[in-house]
């Protein structure tokens, strides 16, 4: 019993001395806190609204979108050379923008060379884009001459 009381008293003394040490260090350093008028303008947040000063001084960067900078769609690693609704796409392959922006392919069709085709039955795109069946054969269920 006495041993646990001693350990508990020692832990409390250590915590108290640590708390006083950190407050005395902070008091020794002069603080040059600017007034709230200097830090925050009318359009920025203040500590009253819940945003810290640190976050309030940094505004997010404007992202580069292809509607303002169309060249970014032609950059290496881009998802496509065309710009549709602020996104880089390839209108020759994209099912949501097939041939032009906003033209969606229906269910069961795929965008091949800018056209919506049914790859299950199209002999020019049998089973996938540019997969042609031999002359005189047909496409059925995505396979040439399926019987």
């Amino acid at each position: 019993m006495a041993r646990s009381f001693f350990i508990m008293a020692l832990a409390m003394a250590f915590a108290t001395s640590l708390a006083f040490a950190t407050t005395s260090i902070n008091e020794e350093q002069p603080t040059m806190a600017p007034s709230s008028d200097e830090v925050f303008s009318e359009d920025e947040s203040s500590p009253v609204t819940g945003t810290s000063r640190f976050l309030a001084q940094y505004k997010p960067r404007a992202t580069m979108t292809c509607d303002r900078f169309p060249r970014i769609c032609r950059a290496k690693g881009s998802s496509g050379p065309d710009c549709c609704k602020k996104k880089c796409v390839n209108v020759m392959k994209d099912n949501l923008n097939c041939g032009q922006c906003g033209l969606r392919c229906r269910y069961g069709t795929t965008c091949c060379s800018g056209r919506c085709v049914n790859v299950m039955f199209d002999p020019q795109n049998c089973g996938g884009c540019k997969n042609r069946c031999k002359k005189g054969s047909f496409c059925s269920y995505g396979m040439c001459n399926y019987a």
Side-chain angles (χ1 to χ4, degrees):
M1 174 86 169
R3 188 178 253 175
S4 64
F5 178 72
F6 177 72
I7 291 173
M8 195 171 226
L10 190 63
M12 287 177 59
F14 179 73
T16 307
S17 66
L18 186 63
F20 282 120
T22 56
T23 56
S24 65
I25 290 172
N26 289 339
E27 290 173 0
E28 291 173 6
Q29 296 175 349
T31 56
M32 298 292 289
S35 67
S36 61
D37 295 336
E38 295 172 5
V39 176
F40 303 105
S41 64
E42 291 178 15
D43 57 66
E44 293 184 31
S45 300
S46 68
V48 176
T49 61
T51 306
S52 69
R53 289 184 191 176
F54 178 74
L55 294 176
Q57 67 185 356
Y58 297 104
K59 291 190 177 187
R61 292 183 185 176
T63 56
M64 290 181 62
T65 55
C66 63
D67 62 328
R68 299 179 89 196
F69 305 99
R71 284 187 179 176
I72 63 172
C73 291
R74 292 181 185 87
K76 187 175 182 177
S78 174
S79 56
D82 307 302
C83 180
C84 293
K85 295 185 181 180
K86 298 182 182 183
K87 292 183 181 179
C88 296
V89 297
N90 188 348
V91 295
M92 301 305 275
K93 298 178 183 177
D94 188 21
N95 285 338
L96 300 176
N97 301 291
C98 188
Q100 65 185 18
C101 293
L103 183 64
R104 291 182 171 194
C105 291
R106 293 182 184 181
Y107 177 78
T109 61
T110 304
C111 186
C112 293
S113 301
R115 292 180 330 142
C116 294
V117 296
N118 189 343
V119 294
M120 299 301 269
F121 299 103
D122 184 17
Q124 302 298 317
N125 301 289
C126 190
C129 296
K130 298 181 181 177
N131 187 21
R132 295 181 180 199
C133 294
K134 293 180 182 178
K135 190 174 184 177
S137 61
F138 57 92
C139 180
S140 182
Y141 301 107
M143 294 179 275
C144 294
N145 289 333
Y146 178 72

